[in-house]
Amino acid sequence: MPELFKMTATELAPLIQGKTISPVELVSLFLHRIEKYDTELKTYITPLPELALIQAKEAENEIMRGIYKGPLHGIPIGIKDNYCTKGIRTTAGSKLLENFIPNQSATVVTKLLKSGSIMLGKQNMHELGAGVTGTDLTFGSTNNPWNNDYMPGGSSSGAAASLVAGLTTIATGSDTFGSIRVPASMCGVYGLKPTYGLISKYGIIPTAMSLDTAGPMARSVSDLALMLQYMAGYDPLDTASIRVEIPNYTENLTKGIKGIKIGIPSYYLRGLDPEVEKLFLLAVNNLNALGANIVHIEIPELELTTFASFTTVVSEAAAYHTDWLKTHPKDYSTDVHATLLSGALTNSTQYLEAQKARRKMTYALQQIFEDVDLLIGPAIPIETPAWSMDWVSQNLDVENRCMPFTAPVNLTGTPSLTVPIGFDPRGLPVGMQIIGNHLSEELLLQTGHAFETII
């Protein structure tokens, strides 16, 4: 049997159900590893050892009495620290919220805890979700577990790094313009940005309301499917929530992808670092070998991404922070403060033009998906950067290079799955994203699972 901290939820679930593994034993192992290794990695802002053991004992007692809630029962989970947790500090990685204790939990947290998942703690993130490097000056920036001199990506930095380091089994993330997919790529894990509105974002501290999307992160595609099963669903408390039938996301995972038509937009082949390009082309060959039909396509409307995403993000973020910008300006880091101020200076005409651009992009993708089933491209065009002393310039530079690759699906509300495709010569991971039409999560997971079996 593999070491327990390396096993996926899919592998652990039958062992827990069959009483071969004790939830208390499993959780104790993770708490020991967090205490031993997280001082350096900084994947958790608020570990919750006492609560986790209480939840583990409760899960164990239920299972011993024959009450098994499903495949997440007894599974350790990390919760990103922008998900509100009742009675538990929720900081969003910001000094502004250093002592904020919500009186209500996010809908997704409630769902996951009802599934029997065991909350190990609240996980680190780029301050306020407003960046993609994983920088957090208040609580300490998360490091990449493959090499601590390198960034983990953000904003869901703690989730991605903890999965690699064996400090949780599964984790939650959120994605505004790449915050699940960038760290998934830089750390070498699996991350799903679902269709906008499929998962409730009620109780999640916002970055940009019309773009924010909650999603699962894990060490396997099958674990993403298990998590999505519990996370998805209509929530009347979220005005953006969509009312759709939730399928069985695990049912067709092994179906294969023979005959699926996958488009590669030329937009995603420009400006790639050489090792990213090399590994991506190898991944394309692997998809071809699995029976997919690969075609090259043009989507000119993707050129609108940088303007539309930046204008939308900074405007909506600044609107949410209007009062705090006046009363607590010194509680923001330099780069986040500058971003929010630029949003405050954005006028209504610019914002409306950005929304027109979004509609053009959405229509263009709808047309493309009449001809292809999926799109693929590198998750980000760059190799994982080493930490720089000039962190402000680095944050802006990494964001400017990565956002054009990740933001299109946020702007259009479509889903995207990031999968690892190999390692560069420095031993750092590289990722590919698979993009689908609205509510195509089943096909994305099916494709990701097929790819996972051959890498």
Side-chain angles (χ1 to χ4, degrees):
M1 184 184 295
E3 294 178 276
L4 295 179
F5 67 87
K6 295 180 181 178
M7 295 176 70
T8 65
T10 304
E11 294 166 335
L12 289 168
L15 300 176
I16 292 173
Q17 183 182 14
K19 304 171 187 174
T20 303
I21 293 175
S22 152
V24 173
E25 172 193 6
L26 184 62
V27 167
S28 297
L29 170 64
F30 278 105
L31 293 176
H32 171 72
R33 290 184 59 78
I34 291 168
E35 184 178 13
K36 184 176 181 180
Y37 297 112
D38 206 48
T39 302
E40 190 170 9
L41 285 177
K42 299 182 177 66
T43 67
Y44 286 86
I45 289 176
T46 308
L48 298 168
E50 295 86 1
L51 178 62
L53 283 173
I54 290 170
Q55 292 177 349
K57 289 173 184 175
E58 182 179 335
E60 185 166 303
N61 289 336
E62 288 172 337
I63 293 166
M64 293 301 291
R65 299 198 315 269
I67 303 170
Y68 182 66
K69 296 178 178 179
L72 295 187
H73 202 177
I75 299 295
I77 186 170
I79 302 295
K80 186 175 179 179
D81 206 28
N82 59 345
Y83 285 64
C84 287
T85 41
K86 183 178 180 180
I88 299 168
R89 184 173 71 155
T90 300
T91 71
S94 171
K95 185 174 178 58
L96 285 166
L97 300 169
E98 189 172 10
N99 300 306
F100 172 54
I101 299 177
N103 57 16
Q104 196 169 355
S105 290
T107 296
V108 171
V109 172
T110 301
K111 285 184 169 186
L112 288 168
L113 293 181
K114 282 184 178 179
S115 78
S117 300
I118 296 164
M119 184 165 54
L120 294 174
K122 304 298 294 298
Q123 295 194 303
N124 209 346
M125 56 183 286
H126 195 113
E127 181 184 337
L128 297 167
V132 297
T133 63
T135 304
D136 182 352
L137 299 186
T138 301
F139 302 101
S141 301
T142 302
N143 292 314
N144 194 306
W146 295 100
N147 186 324
N148 289 353
D149 293 332
Y150 290 79
M151 66 178 59
S155 64
S156 306
S157 51
S162 66
L163 288 164
V164 175
L167 305 183
T168 189
T169 302
I170 54 176
T172 64
S174 61
D175 195 306
T176 303
F177 46 79
S179 288
I180 287 174
R181 291 159 292 143
V182 174
S185 179
M186 289 189 182
C187 288
V189 297
Y190 296 84
L192 176 67
K193 180 269 172 199
T195 300
Y196 182 76
L198 181 64
I199 296 177
S200 171
K201 61 179 190 291
Y202 178 79
I204 298 177
I205 295 168
T207 301
M209 289 293 291
S210 73
L211 303 175
D212 295 342
T213 309
M217 301 181 72
R219 290 195 292 268
S220 72
V221 174
S222 58
D223 280 11
L224 294 181
L226 289 179
M227 293 180 70
L228 186 61
Q229 201 68 55
Y230 289 93
M231 295 172 75
Y234 175 71
D235 179 12
L237 297 174
D238 177 8
T239 56
S241 184
I242 54 177
R243 195 189 294 268
V244 294
E245 185 177 348
I246 303 301
N248 183 339
Y249 291 111
T250 63
E251 191 172 32
N252 295 315
L253 278 181
T254 60
K255 196 173 178 180
I257 58 171
K258 188 175 182 179
I260 288 177
K261 191 174 182 182
I262 300 178
I264 304 176
S266 60
Y267 177 86
Y268 281 104
L269 296 176
R270 298 184 318 206
L272 304 181
D273 284 354
E275 286 300 321
V276 173
E277 182 176 21
K278 177 182 174 181
L279 289 167
F280 175 66
L281 293 177
L282 179 59
V284 171
N285 289 337
N286 287 334
L287 288 170
N288 209 5
L290 288 167
N293 177 20
I294 309 293
V295 296
H296 289 264
I297 58 174
E298 299 290 335
I299 310 177
E301 290 81 1
L302 292 177
E303 302 293 343
L304 299 169
T305 297
T306 299
F307 163 71
S309 60
F310 184 78
T311 304
T312 302
V313 167
V314 298
S315 299
E316 294 184 4
Y320 180 75
H321 285 269
T322 297
D323 291 339
W324 280 335
L325 282 169
K326 294 175 182 176
T327 59
H328 294 79
K330 294 183 180 179
D331 285 348
Y332 297 94
S333 63
T334 305
D335 62 320
V336 173
H337 189 249
T339 296
L340 294 173
L341 286 181
S342 69
L345 295 173
T346 303
N347 60 45
S348 58
T349 300
Q350 292 168 321
Y351 184 78
L352 290 174
E353 287 299 317
Q355 306 322 298
K356 288 180 185 178
R358 291 177 70 177
R359 288 192 290 273
K360 288 179 182 179
M361 293 174 66
T362 302
Y363 179 74
L365 287 189
Q366 288 172 347
Q367 296 300 110
I368 285 292
F369 283 124
E370 290 183 5
D371 187 49
V372 301
D373 300 302
L374 298 170
L375 302 173
I376 56 171
I380 55 175
I382 62 173
E383 297 175 55
T384 301
W387 286 116
S388 166
M389 294 296 291
D390 186 3
W391 58 270
V392 175
S393 296
Q394 182 180 46
N395 284 352
L396 295 174
D397 178 64
V398 173
E399 188 172 297
N400 287 339
R401 291 200 65 187
C402 291
M403 186 188 287
F405 275 56
T406 54
V409 301
N410 300 99
L411 293 166
T412 59
T414 47
S416 175
L417 168 67
T418 292
V419 299
I421 57 175
F423 292 84
D424 66 23
R426 304 166 303 167
L428 293 166
V430 174
M432 171 177 70
Q433 65 174 325
I434 309 167
I435 299 168
N437 202 357
H438 289 89
L439 299 173
S440 65
E441 280 78 5
E442 282 182 282
L443 180 58
L444 287 177
L445 293 166
Q446 178 184 323
T447 304
H449 187 271
F451 184 81
E452 182 183 8
T453 60
I454 64 169
I455 60 171

